[in-house]
């Protein structure tokens, strides 16, 4: 059975589209590091951590039709797991000797805790932390997805539920101040295995690590879009009942892709904590989750590269507006989102494919058609067995 999809569904799957990824790599690894100072480059690195979430939304929302308004939950969980490891390293007995209880994080001492909670203990290990950065958000996403998709909850209902989960987790983190740092979050993160993450060299290195991990996620997402799973996701988005009646377990596919999106978001959250040096509940709630959806929509919810460019564009605009008009930047970002969605429903990627790419192809065709075509000399064998001179040879002999 064949499923019809629109033209944008496969825009990243073109076998001749690798030059676009090379262009993005040149931008991130060469042009921006050479053109920007360390402060601005660190800002770009922070923006790229949001791009992990946007790539996951392309798979969930763009391909699978699963609109999640709670991706900030997984971004925050990954960031908090990394922050717990960094905070424990910064809370050694020598550094916390002035506290009532040395050896525990400062916010725990302020809230009169006398020992480290049991669920903090494993985060002394880097290996456990790296596993938990992925495992904890994915497990949480798996629980939500199983509860929803096995009962065929989808569409706007699923979006509202994920939004409610984001609100609940934010309230829980703020309320448990002694264990999570409360509204301030986990701050004052200085070292990673004794390595100062605040130095200029460290910020450069973390930027390149962040960009490399982003490309790993891009390639992984591109593989998912190209394989059979990607085609099934698009089919489920268009005609879910037809896919189900064809014998496929729709719920299992949705659960899997939702967990993949959570894993991407968690990696972005962990890199955010390393680059910025803190994690707070302000990145877990409803507002940041909606902003992440805006990044994806502006770039193009069907395009992986569009998600990255959309994230960069919206955050650069956000920074510019907040620096110049701190009270109006929310309205400006909302106007940007509404304008792009109304004028270009498929985002920047759709704008490129509809208006820019056809012009490039026309120019290439004109150049190829105007190029002179040389006609090779042809020699014809006569009946007597001798070879007659070519047209070029006859012209030369005449001259």
């Amino acid at each position: 059975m064949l499923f019809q999809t629109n033209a944008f569904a496969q825009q990243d799957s073109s076998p001749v589209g690798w030059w676009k990824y090379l262009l993005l790599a040149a931008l991130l690894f060469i042009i921006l590091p050479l053109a920007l100072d360390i402060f601005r480059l660190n800002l770009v690195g922070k923006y790229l951590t949001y791009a992990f979430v946007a790539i996951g939304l392309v798979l969930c929302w763009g391909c699978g039709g699963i609109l999640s308004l709670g991706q900030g939950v997984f971004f925050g969980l990954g960031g908090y797991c990394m922050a717990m490891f960094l905070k424990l390293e910064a809370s050694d007995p020598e550094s916390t000797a002035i506290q009532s209880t040395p050896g525990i994080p400062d916010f725990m001492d302020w809230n009169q805790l006398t020992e480290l909670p049991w669920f903090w203990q494993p985060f002394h290990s880097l290996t456990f932390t790296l596993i938990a950065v992925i495992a904890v958000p994915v497990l949480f996403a798996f629980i939500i997805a199983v509860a929803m998709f096995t009962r065929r909850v989808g569409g706007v209902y699923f979006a509202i539920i994920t939004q409610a989960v984001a609100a609940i987790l934010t309230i829980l983190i703020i309320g448990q101040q002694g264990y999570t740092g409360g509204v301030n979050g986990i701050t004052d993160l200085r070292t990673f295995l004794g390595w100062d993450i605040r130095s200029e060299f460290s910020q450069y290195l973390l930027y390149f690590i962040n960009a490399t991990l982003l490309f790993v996620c891009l390639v992984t997402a591109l593989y998912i879009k190209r394989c059979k799973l990607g085609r099934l996701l698009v089919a489920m988005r268009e005609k879910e009942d037809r896919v189900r009646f064809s014998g496929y377990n729709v719920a299992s596919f949705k659960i899997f892709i939702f967990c993949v999106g959570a894993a991407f978001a968690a990696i972005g959250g962990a890199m955010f904590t390393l680059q910025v040096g803190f994690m707070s509940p302000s990145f877990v709630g409803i507002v940041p989750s909606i902003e992440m959806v805006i990044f994806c929509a502006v770039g193009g919810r069907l395009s992986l590269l569009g998600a990255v460019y959309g994230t960069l564009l919206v955050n650069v605009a956000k920074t510019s507006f907040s620096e110049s008009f701190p009270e109006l930047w929310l309205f400006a970002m909302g106007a940007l989102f509404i304008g792009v969605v109304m004028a270009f429903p498929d985002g920047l990627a759709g704008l490129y494919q509809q208006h820019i790419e056809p012009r490039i192809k026309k120019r290439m065709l004109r150049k190829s058609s105007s190029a002179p075509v040389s006609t090779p000399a042809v020699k014809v064998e006569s009946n007597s067995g001798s070879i007659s001179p070519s047209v070029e040879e006859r012209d030369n002999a005449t001259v």
Side-chain angles (χ1 to χ4, degrees):
M1 181 174 58
L2 298 177
F3 298 97
Q4 295 180 349
T5 60
N6 59 44
F8 299 104
Q10 302 297 330
Q11 57 185 295
D12 284 316
S13 303
S14 173
V16 296
W18 286 107
W19 67 270
K20 301 175 185 177
Y21 290 85
L22 294 177
L23 182 62
L24 178 62
L27 175 67
L28 297 183
F29 288 98
I30 300 175
I31 298 175
L32 291 180
L34 292 176
L36 300 178
D37 57 62
I38 186 58
F39 174 75
R40 294 294 177 183
L41 188 66
N42 194 42
L43 276 180
V44 174
K46 185 179 78 170
Y47 302 158
L48 291 179
T49 61
Y50 302 140
F52 288 87
V53 187
I55 292 172
L57 281 169
V58 170
L59 295 177
C60 293
W61 181 31
C63 294
I66 305 169
L67 176 57
S68 171
L69 297 180
Q71 292 300 101
V73 169
F74 313 119
F75 183 88
L77 287 176
Y80 265 98
C81 288
M82 180 58 69
M84 290 167 74
F85 171 79
L86 298 178
K87 190 62 177 179
L88 288 177
E89 184 175 342
S91 303
D92 58 277
E94 292 78 11
S95 302
T96 57
I98 62 173
Q99 294 180 180
S100 302
T101 307
I104 64 173
D106 48 11
F107 59 83
M108 293 184 183
D109 187 65
W110 300 337
N111 286 274
Q112 300 180 351
L113 269 68
T114 57
E115 60 180 357
L116 194 68
W118 63 269
F119 58 89
W120 274 74
Q121 295 287 350
F123 287 93
H124 282 290
S125 169
L126 176 61
T127 302
F128 177 85
T129 300
L130 294 179
I131 295 174
V133 163
I134 304 295
V136 172
V138 168
L139 179 60
F140 193 62
F142 179 79
I143 294 172
I144 295 174
V146 169
M148 296 295 104
F149 296 138
T150 54
R151 291 170 173 79
R152 300 187 183 181
V153 177
V156 65
Y157 301 103
F158 181 80
I160 293 173
I161 290 172
T162 54
Q163 197 173 44
V165 171
I168 292 170
L169 188 61
T170 303
I171 296 171
L172 181 64
I173 292 173
I174 295 175
Q176 299 297 318
Q177 182 173 335
Y179 301 104
T180 63
V183 69
N184 294 323
I186 301 177
T187 60
D188 196 24
L189 308 176
R190 301 185 296 271
T191 61
F192 180 80
L193 296 178
W195 168 50
D196 187 3
I197 60 176
R198 299 173 298 177
S199 67
E200 185 173 321
F201 172 76
S202 301
Q203 291 179 351
Y204 271 114
L205 184 58
L206 286 172
Y207 170 82
F208 284 108
I209 293 174
N210 188 26
T212 302
L213 289 175
L214 179 65
F215 265 87
V216 171
C217 291
L218 268 175
V219 173
T220 304
L222 183 62
Y223 173 77
I224 291 175
K225 286 192 69 176
R226 284 185 166 186
C227 69
K228 183 180 179 180
L229 172 60
R231 294 190 294 272
L232 283 172
L233 288 173
V234 175
M236 288 189 300
R237 184 194 68 201
E238 301 294 334
K239 297 291 182 180
E240 181 176 325
D241 290 337
R242 292 181 65 183
V243 177
R244 183 178 291 110
F245 295 152
S246 298
Y248 293 100
N249 188 344
V250 172
S252 62
F253 292 118
K254 287 188 173 183
I255 292 169
F256 174 78
I257 204 63
F258 187 67
C259 290
V260 170
F264 287 173
I267 296 172
M271 291 307 303
F272 176 91
T273 301
L274 283 169
Q275 288 208 262
V276 180
F278 77 97
M279 176 52 67
S280 75
S282 61
F283 299 98
V284 180
I286 296 174
V287 173
S289 297
I290 294 177
E291 286 182 353
M292 292 166 185
V293 174
I294 292 176
F295 303 156
C296 179
V298 170
R301 67 186 183 96
L302 297 169
S303 172
L304 297 173
L305 288 176
V308 179
Y309 286 117
T311 302
L312 291 175
L313 174 65
V314 175
N315 279 282
V316 169
K318 176 181 175 181
T319 301
S320 302
F321 283 129
S322 62
E323 288 177 352
S324 304
F325 310 100
E327 297 180 356
L328 300 176
W329 69 267
L330 277 175
F331 298 100
M333 192 172 69
L336 174 66
F337 172 66
I338 294 172
V340 169
V341 171
M342 291 183 65
F344 311 106
D346 295 293
L348 295 176
L351 174 64
Y352 171 81
Q353 191 173 29
Q354 287 181 343
H355 300 282
I356 300 176
E357 192 174 32
R359 295 182 180 181
I360 296 175
K361 290 182 178 180
K362 285 182 180 180
R363 289 184 179 181
M364 293 177 64
L365 288 174
R366 288 176 183 175
K367 288 182 179 180
S368 61
S369 61
S370 62
V373 180
S374 58
T375 304
V378 179
K379 293 184 178 182
V380 181
E381 185 176 354
S382 64
N383 294 334
S384 59
S386 61
I387 299 177
S388 61
S390 64
V391 175
E392 182 179 345
E393 290 174 347
R394 290 199 301 268
D395 292 340
N396 293 334
T398 304
V399 175

